Amino acid sequence: MRLCNRNLSLLLIPLLLMGCSKRPLTISEFASAVQQDQDFVRQYKDETFYSTCAYYPSEMMALLELRGDLAKSGPAGSEQFEKAKSAFSSAHYFTVTLGLNDSSDVMRYGIADRQYYAVRVQDLTFRAASQFYILTERQDTIKPLIADLQRNYGLSPQATFMVAFPKEQLVAAKQFHVVYHDAHFGIGQPIRFDYATQSLRKELPAISF
């Protein structure tokens, strides 16, 4: 019984940080809460592949942009943060990861030779935008502003994409799907991640710099 209660407490931590807590969060607390928020994270899994789609609000994008600079800036950190946050405010950002259930390198899945591997990497680096779109409840299709493969230099077996969509085209949508239409790995059907627009507009905790 104690073990169950302990596990339940661990699951509630992100909810408490995002909801009930009124104190400003540290940068690491804020990042952890966003990455575990049930309104922001969606998952997919089949017999071979798994995929995760995580919404990154403009606050999170600003933290990624500034990274270590905030720790060095002292009182000026909040000013840098607000400026960076504003720069990301016109789009909805998502990170989409794709991996194999057996933890092997997904970028080499089904690869017969180095030449085809190079073609795959190049295509996903420069033409990933053709494989992502948003589908609204009215069946409107929204193309991404960017869809970038994040280079990990072999340090991760996953493929990770940063995808951004224009906010203004989602203002009237109550629900939408972030869709990944695979062209390389043999996934039989598009992967859809469902979101409620209102849940992405909720107020987030303040950050302590």
Side-chain angles (χ1 to χ4, degrees):
M1 190 66 177
R2 287 182 179 178
L3 181 60
C4 294
N5 289 338
R6 182 173 180 272
N7 290 341
L8 180 60
S9 297
L10 291 174
L11 291 172
L12 288 175
I13 288 174
L15 300 178
L16 292 173
L17 291 176
M18 295 293 281
C20 301
S21 176
K22 298 298 182 182
R23 69 171 178 84
L25 304 183
T26 66
I27 292 174
S28 60
E29 285 176 338
F30 181 89
S32 178
V34 167
Q35 291 170 334
Q36 298 179 63
D37 191 296
Q38 293 183 1
D39 288 329
F40 294 168
V41 181
R42 298 289 182 268
Q43 295 181 333
Y44 163 88
K45 189 172 184 178
D46 62 24
E47 295 83 0
T48 305
F49 299 92
Y50 67 88
S51 186
T52 301
C53 182
Y55 172 65
Y56 275 23
S58 56
E59 291 90 342
M60 188 71 171
M61 294 301 299
L63 293 177
L64 289 175
E65 176 76 8
L66 298 174
R67 300 191 186 223
D69 292 344
L70 290 174
K72 305 174 185 177
S73 59
S78 60
E79 296 176 14
Q80 287 180 282
F81 173 76
E82 290 299 328
K83 185 176 181 180
K85 175 183 168 183
S86 177
F88 291 106
S89 62
S90 62
H92 285 307
Y93 292 85
F94 301 84
T95 60
V96 180
T97 62
L98 179 68
L100 291 165
N101 294 333
D102 66 5
S103 299
S104 57
D105 188 349
V106 71
M107 292 296 289
R108 298 185 180 278
Y109 178 76
I111 290 292
D113 54 51
R114 290 185 178 181
Q115 183 177 358
Y116 187 74
Y117 175 78
V119 170
R120 174 180 286 179
V121 171
Q122 182 171 354
D123 191 64
L124 289 175
T125 299
F126 296 104
R127 290 181 288 275
S130 65
Q131 298 179 40
F132 291 93
Y133 58 91
I134 274 181
L135 187 66
T136 71
E137 75 268 29
R138 296 181 180 181
Q139 301 302 301
D140 296 326
T141 300
I142 301 172
K143 296 181 179 180
L145 298 169
I146 61 168
D148 289 338
L149 174 67
Q150 308 294 291
R151 298 302 299 271
N152 61 42
Y153 303 98
L155 298 177
S156 171
Q158 301 174 332
T160 301
F161 302 86
M162 177 63 73
V163 191
F165 297 93
K167 258 185 192 178
E168 60 182 16
Q169 294 189 36
L170 285 167
V171 170
K174 294 182 179 179
Q175 297 180 335
F176 63 88
H177 316 286
V178 176
V179 183
Y180 168 63
H181 199 293
D182 169 54
H184 287 280
F185 302 102
I187 301 174
Q189 58 187 7
I191 300 175
R192 303 196 335 175
F193 303 99
D194 303 335
Y195 285 92
T197 309
Q198 189 61 37
S199 67
L200 306 187
R201 297 171 180 161
K202 66 184 179 183
E203 183 179 358
L204 299 177
I207 303 173
S208 175
F209 296 98

